[in-house]
């Protein structure tokens, strides 16, 4: 048998791995190499030591990535994006000029150009956000398709739902998609205004330009251009606190 020598540029490549400590060292070596590649390609890493990028990830030029960020799987990130930090992103497709605010989780989803996500938002598998969509703090989306310019900025669950363009989803809105046995779809049209604290009982459809009054529970389809509300009698008992 012939024995030959091979010169390597980085001697660390030839080091053995016989302990967890050595494994961690080699993982850091690979991570440093990947991070260096992206910084040389025009990506800004605010803290490379706390940025974890899998080898299958792609990132566009002039994107800025904050500390404590994990980019996993086959994630693709466009140009000019901004990731504030403490983000976990796996198998996500993110367009150009997207802003991911602090502490977001994105898994197996798509985000189109110019969208703003977070802080503290969770995009679960099957979520598909159009251009310039806003998903705000403590909003969770699963199998949710949102049209261009639609907003859900506060404390909302959007599950198994399709929403049109330029619709506004008020704080505390819930799509009730699960009855304990089956999942059901919600469909919301363009330019719909959903008031805060609204409950949408799927399966249900809201037409274009519908207005849903605050604190409504909607159980039936609503035609385009209609107002839907629940009548509630408000009562005031004067002096109640003093009597109590």
């Amino acid at each position: 048998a012939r024995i030959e020598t091979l010169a390597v540029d980085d001697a660390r490549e030839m080091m053995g791995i016989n302990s967890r400590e050595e494994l961690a060292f080699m993982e850091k070596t690979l991570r440093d190499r990947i991070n260096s590649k992206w910084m040389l390609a025009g990506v800004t890493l605010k803290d490379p030591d706390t940025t974890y990028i899998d080898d299958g990830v792609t990132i566009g030029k002039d994107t800025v990535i904050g500390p404590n960020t994990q980019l996993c799987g086959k994630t693709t990130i466009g140009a000019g994006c901004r990731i504030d930090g403490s983000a976990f992103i796996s198998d996500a497709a993110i367009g150009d000029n997207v802003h991911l605010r602090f502490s977001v989780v994105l898994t197996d989803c798509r985000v189109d150009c110019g969208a703003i996500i977070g802080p503290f938002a969770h995009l679960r598998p099957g979520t598909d956000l159009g251009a310039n969509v806003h998903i705000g703090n403590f909003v969770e989306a699963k199998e949710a398709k949102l049209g261009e310019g639609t907003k859900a900025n506060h404390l909302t669950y959007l599950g198994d739902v399709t929403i049109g363009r330029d619709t506004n989803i008020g704080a505390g809105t819930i799509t009730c998609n699960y009855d304990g046995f089956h999942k059901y779809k919600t469909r919301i049209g363009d330019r719909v205004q959903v008031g805060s604290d609204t409950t949408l009982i799927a399966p249900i459809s809201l037409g274009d330009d519908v207005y849903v009054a605050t604190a409504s529970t909607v159980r039936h389809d609503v035609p385009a251009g209609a107002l839907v509300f629940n009548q509630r009698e408000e009562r005031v008992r004067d002096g109640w606190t003093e009597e109590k």
Side-chain angles (χ1 to χ4, degrees), residues 12 21 24 29 36 40 84 92 98 108 120 127-128 145 174 185 190 192 205 208-209 223 230 235 241 244:
R12 292 176 297 180
E21 183 179 17
T29 298
S36 179
L40 289 171
D84 289 349
V98 169
D108 194 15
F120 305 106
T127 296
D128 188 340
K145 183 175 182 179
I174 299 173
K185 296 285 187 179
D190 299 338
V192 174
S205 178
D208 295 342
D209 302 298
N230 302 146
R235 297 180 178 180
T241 303
K244 186 176 188 301

Side-chain angles (χ1 to χ4, degrees), residues 201-224:
I201 312 297
I204 196 170
S205 178
L206 277 60
D208 295 342
D209 302 298
V210 162
Y211 274 67
V212 181
T214 296
S216 294
T217 298
V218 185
R219 295 181 174 86
H220 306 287
D221 292 351
V222 181

Side-chain angles (χ1 to χ4, degrees), residues 139-168:
V139 174
E140 179 183 355
K142 187 272 297 182
E143 290 287 346
K145 183 175 182 179
L146 277 62
E148 181 176 355
T150 285
K151 299 177 181 179
N153 279 323
H154 319 279
L155 302 161
T156 292
Y157 173 66
L158 300 173
D160 298 293
V161 60
T162 299
I163 305 176
R165 298 166 55 101
D166 300 315
T167 285
N168 186 73

Side-chain angles (χ1 to χ4, degrees), residues 40-57:
L40 289 171
V43 176
T44 297
L45 305 183
K46 291 292 189 70
D47 184 7
D49 285 340
T50 62
T51 302
Y52 298 76
I53 304 173
D54 283 358
D55 191 46
V57 171

